[in-house]
Amino acid sequence: MLNVEVWISSILLLNAGTLCDEVVDMCNPSPCENGSQCQSLVGGYVCHCSQQSLDEFLYGGRNCSEALVGCEGHECQNQGSCSPFLSDGHHGYSCHCPAGLTGLLCQTPTAFSFEQSGYLLLRSPMMSTEASCNITLSFRTVLPRAVLFQWGSGRLILGLELLGCHLSLSLRREASAGGRAEALQLSQTLELPLNVTDGRWHSVEAVLGDGLLSLRLLDGVVCQEQDCEREAQVADTLTGTDSSESPLQNTFIGGVVEEGVVLVTVPAFIGCLQDIFVNSQLVVPEEWLSDSAVNMTIGCSHRDRCQDSPCQNRGQCTNLWQSYQCRCPRPYKGQDCAEEYETARFGNEDSQSYAVFTITDDTGSDITVSLFLRTLRHAGLLLVLANSTSQYLRLWLDKGRVSVQLHNFETLTSESLVNDGDIHFVSVVVDREHLVLYVANQKQGSVEVRTVDSQMGDVVYVGGLAEQKASSAFGGYFKGCIQDLRINSERLQFFRLDTTVTSYPLVLMANVTAGCAGVDSCSRNPCQNGGMCYSMWDDFTCTCPHNTAGRRCEKVKWCELAPCPAKAECRTLNQGYDCFSSATFLADSSVLSYRGNGRIQRGLASITASLRTRKRHVAILHAERGPEFVTVSVQHGLLFLELQSGEGSSTVSLKSRVGVSDGDWHSVHLFMVTPWAEVSRWTLVLDEEVDEAGSSSSEGGNLDFLREGVDIQLGGLGPKAGWSLEGCLGTVEVGGIALPYYSPLEVNLPRIQEEQFLRTSPNPPRSGCSGGPVCQPSPCMNGGSCQDLWNLFNCSCEEGWTGRRCERNTDTCASNPCIHGNCSIQGLAYECACEFGYTGVDCEEEVDVCENHLCAHGGTCLHGVDKYACLCAENYTGPYCNRPKLPVSVCGDAARNYICFNAGNCTERDLSCDCLPGFTGHRCEQEVDECKSNPCLNGGYCRNLINNYHCVCDMSFAGDNCQVDVSDIYFYMAVLFWQNLFQLISFLILNLDDAPVIDWGGQVD
């Protein structure tokens, strides 16, 4: 058997030698299981098991094939995490403790806390002649200055402190004198400029060794972004030890004392510490003796003192670990900002209040005045700074805004209003060059100023000045409240209740009371008409019934109470109400009378009305007293105003430009142009047409004589006085006061207005607007229907009838009225077109064409068909025998002859005619037209004559051709005389023909 093993070994060694240049990968294939990583080694392998659980298990063993079950039923405490392991085939576990715990089962706390000044003292022997120290700890605090630890070896001291919220590591060596420390000589300091006093856990490491001093913050998240490490070289002479020094090292945690004396000026640590390692040795608090731990509590049970929000009134809370501190906004104070600085009340019960203070230091040229104020007044003096010669700074209210003035020149006024009854913070900042005003920390404006110098002995006036007249220049004395008044940081206390607060001394105070209670405004019952009063600060508010309104419920919503009859319109007045409606007036029986109630105080300078009538002559309103009178009427269909009022004034007469008697509604407004004057022109506006308004040419007085003792007639001049209205009127107003149609018994609520016109006529008017029964009975004939157009009717006629009452037939030719002619309809009449030879309206008369003929000089009229002709006497010719007949000449022999007309001369030689001027043609039979060339000028008419023409000129021209302007009448008459004389002579010469002529061209004209 032995030989076989040797043989096999030899073969293996032989093979190994043969293959020594090759690497055998023992991880291929991998023998490791359950996601582990295989690492090949020479002659073997190692499996690195996964730390991630698979199927809720971790695996171990050579090939990571065995499930680790050591944590089943583990006893790790305080949320310590269990880690199973496999060792020599045995399953077990270990506990990984969270910060602040240690022990096999994480059962021992390493955290402890100091709620008050204390310390933990650790003593250990010196291990080397060269001083070295390595301390790591975690801490939690909110104190900006505190001792974390101090390590000492003889006269060498290493200390870690919190200074200004930052870590500071210092190395010092004491200088000895007679074995007693007299001074500390600072040698080396390292600082980390990071805030570590935010109440969170921070870890830090301080190391001294090998000539190097280092400080490192171990906060992972913070130190990824910032530099968290400092180090410096330390000289050997500083860290070396002397044989005379104590063989023990003292480490103070949280505070430093020796023989009852504090060794450093930095206060003790207040907060929590944990996981302290001194030279790699964990400090477990419960293992130390009680005399080594003073005021130390195991564990860290700190609670943020600001979590309960102890600071009131918007105070900012600062956690001081075992307590808190409130930073109070103005005007609050106290531990929890629950107290206020006492408020000063000025002007209580309308008294004159002010206070005077004296400045006891030199404030210089930079002055800040600040205060809280509350007021409802729009004006009042707030503050004045004055010296022995002038008032150099003033602060006052103007129209509800804050104004500030420096040196009587530069002035600023706030944009914001402060007189709303709310509390407002006001500050004024004066530096060497500028004056700035703030309200509620909002800048209201700034201005460049000259330097101001406030000195000791200057005076501060608050709320007003001692002299009332001087205060009045700035709105008078202030009424309201002032609180927390300061000049720079110095307060001005009106009531020295808090002696711990410094204040400028109060010299004088008048009528200033403590607190800011408002006046009980409801004690005077300001709310009217059943309103409920509620007091507010220096004010009141009224809760009004649903039918009232106004600040004092003084405005009654009368119309919501339906006080008027159904046909009337209710209108709310400044005081009371009135009912507006229309009324129908029917002659004398409807005239109404009114009188003033004796309490009318306003000026009466207008009349307003609306009317509807078809009458052209009626009186609308009339009143008179002695020589004074007023009449509004309709005359010839136009509206008239006639007024005589006031001594020495003329009568006003004014009329409309358009008619009002068309049956439509028309609005009328008559008023004085200047109603405040004794006399003025009056204006009439009809139907709101302002552009068509008319004004009187003369000035008249007002209507004040109607206030009392004068009868005002409405709808006529008076009972049985004529000119009575037939139509309708709306409610008439005189000076804005209605002349009501309803008596007090006809309305549901009393009229409370002071000024009224009262109806004195007994009979009530006819309510509404209605016309007469114009269609009863119907006036329309022949089946026409009647339409009522208010005091006017209109007939809609059946087909074939017309006329106002449908009394006329529209087919006027139906009866064939034309006897010898054709009929045609012309509107509501007919017209006959007569046949030839007939005339007359119905063509009933036969025409005589020779009647009124124009045959002259004894000519005889000859009847023709629809015309006539003139048979002229021997010496005349022409259509109407109105021209003398010219002789005829004959030449030739019995075989042939030739005749020349119009006095033309016949020649025997060639049988031709020599024509007189004015005639042409072979036989002189044609008359020349001398008008063909249009010789007449300036619009003259040309009349043709024999061998001549005559111009008939326009009246302004004369002359043969109308070429002369005869605007001068005498010249014209002379020209006209000679012209007519010439025409007469020409006529006599040309009409010398004695042969009878018949011309059938005559027409009946």
Side-chain angles (χ1 to χ4, degrees):
M1 185 67 182
L2 180 60
N3 293 331
V4 174
E5 291 178 355
V6 172
W7 178 74
I8 293 174
S9 298
S10 300
I11 294 175
L12 291 173
L13 291 173
L14 178 62
N15 291 336
T18 304
L19 303 174
C20 62
D21 56 346
E22 297 180 10
V23 178
V24 179
D25 186 1
M26 303 302 292
C27 290
N28 189 13
S30 175
C32 302
E33 302 179 16
N34 296 307
S36 58
Q37 299 293 325
C38 179
Q39 181 180 0
S40 179
L41 303 174
V42 178
Y45 64 89
V46 174
C47 290
H48 299 282
C49 300
S50 173
Q51 298 302 310
Q52 302 293 329
S53 63
L54 298 175
D55 303 328
E56 299 182 357
F57 289 102
L58 295 175
Y59 291 87
R62 176 172 174 77
N63 293 330
C64 301
S65 58
E66 185 172 355
L68 301 181
V69 296
C71 283
E72 292 181 357
H74 74 86
E75 298 180 355
C76 297
Q77 303 176 20
N78 300 312
Q79 299 180 349
S81 61
C82 178
S83 298
F85 62 84
L86 181 64
S87 177
D88 296 332
H90 296 285
H91 288 275
Y93 71 90
S94 61
C95 295
H96 292 280
C97 301
L101 295 167
T102 190
L104 294 177
L105 302 177
C106 303
Q107 77 281 8
T108 303
T110 65
F112 58 94
S113 61
F114 294 100
E115 295 293 330
Q116 54 183 318
S117 296
Y119 63 90
L120 174 64
L121 175 60
L122 309 177
R123 293 180 181 271
S124 60
M126 288 286 295
M127 303 300 296
S128 172
T129 57
E130 182 177 354
S132 64
C133 176
N134 187 327
I135 297 179
T136 303
L137 57 85
S138 297
F139 66 93
R140 180 185 178 193
T141 187
V142 295
L143 298 184
R145 299 180 71 246
V147 175
L148 288 175
F149 75 80
Q150 180 174 299
W151 173 88
S153 175
R155 291 184 291 113
L156 186 65
I157 297 175
L158 177 67
L160 180 62
E161 302 163 348
L162 292 173
L163 298 177
C165 304
H166 302 155
L167 287 170
S168 176
L169 179 65
S170 60
L171 180 64
R172 304 183 292 273
R173 177 178 290 277
E174 293 182 354
S176 62
R180 184 177 179 183
E182 293 183 350
L184 292 177
Q185 188 174 14
L186 179 63
S187 178
Q188 191 71 51
T189 299
L190 299 178
E191 291 187 359
L192 285 177
L194 300 174
N195 182 14
V196 292
T197 61
D198 53 5
R200 300 175 182 175
W201 283 105
H202 297 277
S203 299
V204 63
E205 179 186 47
V207 178
L208 173 64
D210 298 330
L212 187 68
L213 179 67
S214 67
L215 175 63
R216 185 158 61 102
L217 187 64
L218 305 178
D219 292 352
V221 177
V222 174
C223 294
Q224 288 179 358
E225 301 176 356
Q226 303 185 52
D227 186 8
C228 296
E229 185 174 358
R230 294 288 187 272
E231 62 181 24
Q233 295 290 331
V234 179
D236 294 340
T237 56
L238 179 62
T239 58
T241 59
D242 297 333
S243 58
S244 60
E245 294 181 351
S246 171
L248 295 178
Q249 300 177 110
N250 294 330
T251 303
F252 286 91
I253 306 296
V256 181
V257 293
E258 185 172 327
E259 298 179 359
V261 179
V262 178
L263 298 182
V264 293
T265 58
V266 179
F269 178 81
I270 304 297
C272 294
L273 296 162
Q274 67 181 18
D275 298 337
I276 300 177
F277 291 88
V278 179
N279 295 325
S280 303
Q281 180 181 358
L282 178 63
V283 176
V284 180
E286 64 183 18
E287 297 178 356
W288 294 91
L289 300 176
S290 60
D291 58 350
S292 299
V294 178
N295 295 329
M296 183 187 74
T297 303
I298 295 177
C300 182
S301 59
H302 170 67
R303 182 177 64 86
D304 188 350
R305 307 292 180 174
C306 290
Q307 286 182 352
D308 297 334
S309 301
C311 302
Q312 303 178 31
N313 298 309
R314 306 184 310 278
Q316 295 182 357
C317 181
T318 301
N319 181 23
L320 299 181
W321 199 263
Q322 76 274 28
S323 63
Y324 62 87
Q325 183 179 11
C326 292
R327 187 170 63 182
C328 302
R330 295 177 62 180
Y332 300 100
K333 63 178 181 176
Q335 173 67 23
D336 298 330
C337 304
E339 304 175 21
E340 294 187 46
Y341 290 102
E342 188 67 45
T343 303
R345 170 72 166 165
F346 289 77
N348 193 27
E349 300 296 337
D350 294 326
S351 61
Q352 296 180 357
S353 307
Y354 65 94
V356 184
F357 295 85
T358 300
I359 296 178
T360 56
D361 57 5
D362 292 332
T363 59
S365 59
D366 295 338
I367 303 174
T368 298
V369 178
S370 58
L371 71 155
F372 290 89
L373 67 87
R374 184 183 188 187
T375 186
L376 289 172
R377 293 297 181 90
H378 65 279
L381 185 59
L382 293 173
L383 181 140
V384 172
L385 283 176
N387 53 30
S388 59
T389 59
S390 66
Q391 300 173 1
Y392 55 87
L393 189 147
R394 300 187 184 97
L395 189 68
W396 74 96
L397 293 176
D398 183 16
K399 298 179 181 179
R401 292 175 169 83
V402 179
S403 294
V404 59
Q405 184 183 66
L406 202 64
H407 296 308
N408 291 323
F409 292 105
E410 298 88 356
T411 302
L412 280 178
T413 300
S414 69
E415 297 179 358
S416 304
L417 293 171
V418 297
N419 64 332
D420 54 3
D422 292 333
I423 298 174
H424 296 273
F425 181 66
V426 177
S427 59
V428 177
V429 179
V430 183
D431 58 22
R432 296 181 180 273
E433 297 180 353
H434 295 90
L435 168 66
V436 187
L437 175 62
Y438 297 89
V439 174
N441 294 323
Q442 297 293 322
K443 186 176 180 181
Q444 305 295 303
S446 64
V447 64
E448 293 184 0
V449 296
R450 296 174 295 166
T451 303
V452 64
D453 189 14
S454 180
Q455 299 178 351
M456 181 187 302
D458 289 354
V459 180
V460 183
Y461 296 92
V462 183
L465 300 171
E467 296 182 2
Q468 180 179 358
K469 183 177 180 181
S471 300
S472 299
F474 296 92
Y477 289 93
F478 172 69
K479 182 175 183 179
C481 298
I482 293 178
Q483 184 182 21
D484 196 7
L485 173 60
R486 302 185 188 185
I487 297 180
N488 293 342
S489 60
E490 196 73 17
R491 293 180 176 86
L492 283 73
Q493 290 197 93
F494 300 94
F495 314 100
R496 293 300 301 272
L497 303 178
D498 188 356
T499 57
T500 62
V501 178
T502 60
S503 171
Y504 286 139
L506 178 65
V507 178
L508 177 62
M509 187 166 67
N511 299 322
V512 180
T513 57
C516 193
V519 177
D520 184 9
S521 302
C522 287
S523 61
R524 302 174 184 175
N525 298 320
C527 301
Q528 304 175 19
N529 298 308
M532 184 68 68
C533 182
Y534 293 94
S535 287
M536 301 172 63
W537 183 83
D538 259 15
D539 201 1
F540 67 91
T541 182
C542 293
T543 300
C544 302
H546 72 279
N547 61 336
T548 62
R551 172 172 166 76
R552 302 174 183 269
C553 308
E554 72 279 4
K555 298 179 181 178
V556 179
K557 300 177 183 178
W558 294 100
C559 293
E560 294 184 4
L561 302 176
C564 297
K567 294 183 178 181
E569 175 194 356
C570 179
R571 295 185 188 177
T572 302
L573 309 178
N574 291 333
Q575 186 184 47
Y577 74 97
D578 223 324
C579 299
F580 285 69
S581 66
S582 59
T584 301
F585 291 79
L586 301 173
D588 291 342
S589 61
S590 302
V591 178
L592 303 178
S593 298
Y594 294 87
R595 276 199 174 196
N597 64 350
R599 292 190 292 271
I600 298 177
Q601 300 296 325
R602 73 179 71 179
L604 304 179
S606 66
I607 298 175
T608 302
S610 58
L611 66 97
R612 184 183 189 187
T613 186
R614 291 191 183 276
K615 295 295 182 179
R616 294 176 57 80
H617 297 278
V618 292
I620 307 299
L621 180 146
H622 175 74
E624 60 182 65
R625 185 185 67 178
E628 296 179 307
F629 70 91
V630 59
T631 301
V632 180
S633 61
V634 176
Q635 301 178 31
H636 302 287
L638 302 177
L639 188 76
F640 271 76
L641 167 67
E642 295 170 286
L643 172 66
Q644 174 69 50
S645 173
E647 295 182 2
S649 63
S650 57
T651 300
V652 172
S653 182
L654 184 61
K655 68 177 180 179
S656 64
R657 299 180 181 178
V658 296
V660 295
S661 58
D662 53 4
D664 292 332
W665 279 105
H666 295 277
S667 64
V668 180
H669 190 195
L670 299 158
F671 58 92
M672 294 179 70
V673 176
T674 54
W676 56 86
E678 292 184 2
V679 293
S680 167
R681 297 171 64 190
W682 279 74
T683 296
L684 186 155
V685 177
L686 185 65
D687 294 331
E688 308 300 331
E689 296 290 341
V690 179
D691 295 338
E692 299 296 326
S695 295
S696 62
S697 58
S698 58
E699 294 184 339
N702 52 37
L703 304 175
D704 289 353
F705 68 93
L706 303 180
R707 288 175 177 172
E708 184 178 3
V710 177
D711 290 323
I712 302 174
Q713 307 295 333
L714 192 64
L717 298 176
K720 300 180 181 180
W723 280 63
S724 297
L725 174 64
E726 291 185 17
C728 299
L729 282 178
T731 300
V732 178
E733 295 177 88
V734 177
I737 305 175
L739 304 180
Y741 293 136
Y742 298 100
S743 67
L745 297 178
E746 295 174 293
V747 295
N748 300 325
L749 295 173
R751 297 185 179 96
I752 66 167
Q753 52 265 41
E754 187 75 15
E755 301 174 308
Q756 296 186 46
F757 285 110
L758 303 178
R759 197 185 78 204
T760 58
S761 52
N763 298 326
R766 182 177 178 181
S767 182
C769 182
S770 60
V774 292
C775 287
Q776 298 297 330
S778 176
C780 303
M781 304 167 61
N782 299 308
S785 59
C786 182
Q787 294 176 323
D788 190 341
L789 302 179
W790 192 82
N791 284 351
L792 182 70
F793 69 87
N794 179 57
C795 289
S796 297
C797 302
E798 295 288 337
E799 184 177 359
W801 296 96
T802 188
R804 188 170 186 272
R805 301 175 182 269
C806 306
E807 72 277 8
R808 294 198 304 270
N809 195 322
T810 58
D811 189 1
T812 55
C813 290
S815 61
N816 297 318
C818 300
I819 299 173
H820 297 283
N822 296 322
C823 181
S824 61
I825 299 174
Q826 301 293 330
L828 298 179
Y830 65 90
E831 183 178 349
C832 292
C834 299
E835 299 174 358
F836 290 122
Y838 293 93
T839 186
V841 176
D842 297 327
C843 303
E844 72 281 7
E845 299 177 7
E846 186 176 358
V847 176
D848 182 3
V849 294
C850 283
E851 184 178 0
N852 299 321
H853 68 83
L854 300 179
C855 299
H857 299 104
T860 302
C861 178
L862 302 179
H863 288 82
V865 180
D866 196 31
K867 64 175 67 175
Y868 70 90
C870 292
L871 177 63
C872 297
E874 181 177 0
N875 297 325
Y876 291 92
T877 189
Y880 300 107
C881 306
N882 53 0
R883 291 205 314 258
K885 186 175 180 181
L886 297 177
V888 177
S889 62
V890 179
C891 60
D893 52 20
R896 61 182 182 135
N897 56 54
Y898 201 82
I899 302 174
C900 295
F901 298 98
N902 295 311
N905 294 320
C906 183
T907 58
E908 295 288 346
R909 184 174 52 84
D910 53 2
L911 298 179
S912 62
C913 296
D914 292 329
C915 301
L916 292 177
F919 296 95
T920 187
H922 293 291
R923 299 177 183 271
C924 302
E925 74 279 8
Q926 295 180 359
E927 185 180 352
V928 177
D929 186 4
E930 281 80 11
C931 289
K932 189 173 183 179
S933 62
N934 297 319
C936 300
L937 305 176
N938 298 310
Y941 168 70
C942 181
R943 179 179 296 168
N944 185 37
L945 302 175
I946 297 176
N947 194 32
N948 201 354
Y949 63 89
H950 173 64
C951 290
V952 181
C953 301
D954 184 80
M955 292 182 63
S956 298
F957 296 91
D960 292 340
N961 295 324
C962 304
Q963 76 278 11
V964 181
D965 187 352
V966 291
S967 299
D968 188 345
I969 186 62
Y970 300 106
F971 174 79
Y972 173 71
M973 291 177 65
V975 172
L976 184 62
F977 171 77
W978 289 108
Q979 183 179 12
N980 290 337
L981 181 61
F982 172 77
Q983 290 178 351
L984 178 60
I985 295 174
S986 299
F987 177 78
L988 295 176
I989 294 175
L990 294 177
N991 288 276
L992 297 178
D993 188 0
D994 57 355
V997 176
I998 298 175
D999 190 344
W1000 294 98
Q1003 297 285 340
V1004 177
D1005 293 341

